[in-house]
Amino acid sequence: MSLTRTLIARPFSLTARTTTTRPFSLAARRMAEGDAGAPRSGGSAQGDAFTKREQASEDYYVRQQEKDKLAKLKQKIADQEAQLAKDREEAEGLTKKS
């Protein structure tokens, strides 16, 4: 066997052998109810003080976000109305000159 043939064939056979003999496993993570953010079931858990406080905090956050969004929209409307009034005055000025 020639030297070039040995060098070419050898790395391929080593690579093929090591990739096919490596073990591969993947452990699936299993979670029980209530683990790591899973929703709580009904019953006594719904009347829990922590659950009520958490719900109130989430509701407050949502209301604040909606309030901010509404304020931004109102400001945008006011800006657009001011621009519209300015454009109307300009249009009236042009029609009076004609």
Side-chain angles (χ1 to χ4, degrees):
M1 196 180 246
S2 71
L3 181 62
T4 55
R5 195 173 210 185
T6 305
L7 291 176
I8 293 172
R10 186 171 199 135
F12 178 73
S13 64
L14 286 176
T15 305
R17 183 176 45 197
T18 56
T19 57
T20 56
T21 59
R22 287 186 182 163
F24 180 78
S25 65
L26 180 63
R29 228 177 132 182
R30 295 187 181 153
M31 300 170 83
E33 184 178 349
D35 288 351
R40 292 180 159 197
S41 61
S44 63
Q46 287 183 344
D48 187 9
F50 176 75
T51 305
K52 289 180 182 178
R53 190 176 340 129
E54 184 181 21
Q55 184 64 41
S57 176
E58 288 175 3
D59 291 344
Y60 178 75
Y61 176 77
V62 169
R63 280 194 308 269
Q64 288 299 104
Q65 293 296 317
E66 289 175 350
K67 187 177 177 182
D68 292 343
K69 219 183 250 189
L70 184 61
K72 286 178 184 177
L73 285 173
K74 284 182 179 181
Q75 182 61 41
K76 190 174 180 180
I77 289 171
D79 292 344
Q80 291 294 324
E81 287 176 346
Q83 182 64 36
L84 182 61
K86 183 179 175 184
D87 290 345
R88 282 185 179 153
E89 288 177 9
E90 187 178 334
E92 286 176 9
L94 290 174
T95 55
K96 287 181 183 178
K97 288 181 182 178
S98 307

